[in-house]
Amino acid sequence: MKFISAIPARSGSKGIKNKNILKINDKPLIEYTFVEAKKSCIKSNYVLTDSKEIQKLTKKFSLNYDYNRPKSLSGDKVSLTDTLYDFYKWTIKKNIFFDYIVVLQPTSPLRKAKDINESIRILKKKKSLSLFSISNSLEHPYETIKMVKNNFRFVLKKAKNFYRRQDFDFNSYFINGAIYIIHRNLIQKKKIFSLNKHSFYIMPKDRSLEINDLEEAKIIEAIIKNKVIK
């Protein structure tokens, strides 16, 4: 099996301006992903970007940035599947063969090479067509409410039957966005996971945090600065 990584990194961002190069502890956000990708067992790493500045950073780490992400695939509403499909077509033209793409999004700077390697090990062992990393939910769905005028409603109706977390009748996880592994046949069909042959990698909560806004960026910066992640 041949694995390559794809690091999608467009220049713009709706939540945080130029989020991928936002300084986190005096280092551009995307560099955290570059470092761990280089440490992982993956030998071929591709950065999918439309940014000249990100390309310069990519060169510094000797990663491949030959694929030029089209402006039409660099907007806020472009899906990951569309980006990967265009990249897949480019690999065909360049005679680049792979069995799986490992997608590493720059917004997960606490992800480690050992998480990448363990995800690949699990997928190989289970002979799956896809995998994504998950983590135990920070808050259980039974504790989720919606505001209705000056009152509230539980999002899940069954939640009113439970008052203590230890009594909840199911364990809850969330897709943390740190790692996706996708077989080339799925990408051909513009899919990112298989319903029948899918696996999961459960990442620790402390490495599953993702940057979507400045508040989360500050939290993650504090974690990195105090070196509380192993």
Side-chain angles (χ1 to χ4, degrees):
M1 295 181 187
K2 182 176 180 181
F3 293 80
I4 65 173
S5 82
I7 303 171
R10 61 190 181 87
S11 57
S13 176
K14 193 172 183 179
I16 304 174
K17 186 177 180 180
N18 298 319
K19 179 167 61 178
N20 289 320
I21 54 174
L22 176 73
K23 289 293 181 67
I24 302 293
N25 200 23
D26 298 322
K27 184 189 296 185
L29 172 60
I30 199 168
E31 282 197 12
Y32 290 94
T33 293
F34 288 171
V35 169
E36 299 305 320
K38 290 284 288 184
K39 288 181 182 177
S40 77
C41 62
I42 303 172
K43 302 304 179 185
S44 299
N45 300 284
Y46 295 84
V47 179
L48 318 184
T49 187
D50 61 324
S51 166
K52 297 296 183 184
E53 192 166 354
I54 291 175
Q55 286 180 349
K56 288 180 182 178
L57 291 172
T58 302
K59 189 175 182 180
K60 173 183 170 183
F61 286 87
S62 301
L63 302 177
N64 189 300
Y65 59 93
D66 292 342
Y67 169 78
N68 290 310
R69 185 168 175 170
K71 289 293 182 183
S72 60
L73 293 176
S74 300
D76 290 328
K77 296 181 180 180
V78 175
S79 69
L80 176 62
T81 53
D82 287 336
T83 301
L84 293 178
Y85 181 69
D86 191 71
F87 173 66
Y88 164 73
K89 290 190 296 182
W90 177 83
T91 62
I92 294 175
K93 291 179 183 178
K94 298 295 182 179
N95 294 316
I96 299 169
F97 178 80
F98 64 90
D99 295 295
Y100 291 89
I101 285 182
V102 181
V103 180
L104 304 173
Q105 301 194 97
T107 47
S108 298
L110 303 180
R111 174 217 309 108
K112 297 296 183 182
K114 60 185 176 183
D115 296 312
I116 301 169
N117 294 344
E118 181 62 12
S119 296
I120 291 173
R121 188 195 68 80
I122 291 171
L123 181 135
K124 284 182 173 180
K125 182 179 179 181
K126 296 192 174 181
K127 299 179 180 179
S128 304
L129 293 176
S130 60
L131 174 148
F132 49 62
S133 55
I134 61 175
S135 179
N136 290 96
S137 295
L138 299 176
E139 301 298 338
H140 196 280
Y142 280 156
E143 296 173 319
T144 303
I145 64 171
K146 59 182 177 180
M147 303 304 295
V148 182
K149 295 183 179 180
N150 294 323
N151 210 327
F152 75 94
R153 297 286 186 274
F154 287 107
V155 171
L156 298 181
K157 292 182 179 180
K158 197 175 179 181
K160 61 186 178 182
N161 298 329
F162 301 94
Y163 298 96
R164 303 186 307 166
R165 182 173 276 254
Q166 57 264 42
D167 295 331
F168 292 164
D169 59 352
F170 70 92
N171 295 321
S172 174
Y173 301 87
F174 70 98
I175 303 170
N176 64 18
I179 301 168
Y180 293 86
I181 306 180
I182 313 162
H183 193 277
R184 60 184 290 118
N185 291 343
L186 290 173
I187 296 171
Q188 284 178 335
K189 301 172 184 177
K190 291 191 175 184
K191 296 181 179 180
I192 59 173
F193 61 87
S194 166
L195 291 174
N196 301 316
K197 292 187 176 182
H198 185 79
S199 295
F200 305 94
Y201 168 58
I202 303 177
M203 274 178 68
K205 282 185 182 181
D206 62 358
R207 296 203 299 273
S208 294
L209 300 179
E210 185 179 20
I211 293 179
N212 294 299
D213 54 44
L214 287 174
E215 187 176 6
E216 290 172 344
K218 290 177 182 178
I219 292 170
I220 287 177
E221 184 172 47
I223 290 172
I224 292 172
K225 190 172 292 185
N226 290 286
K227 297 181 179 179
V228 295
I229 298 295
K230 296 180 180 180

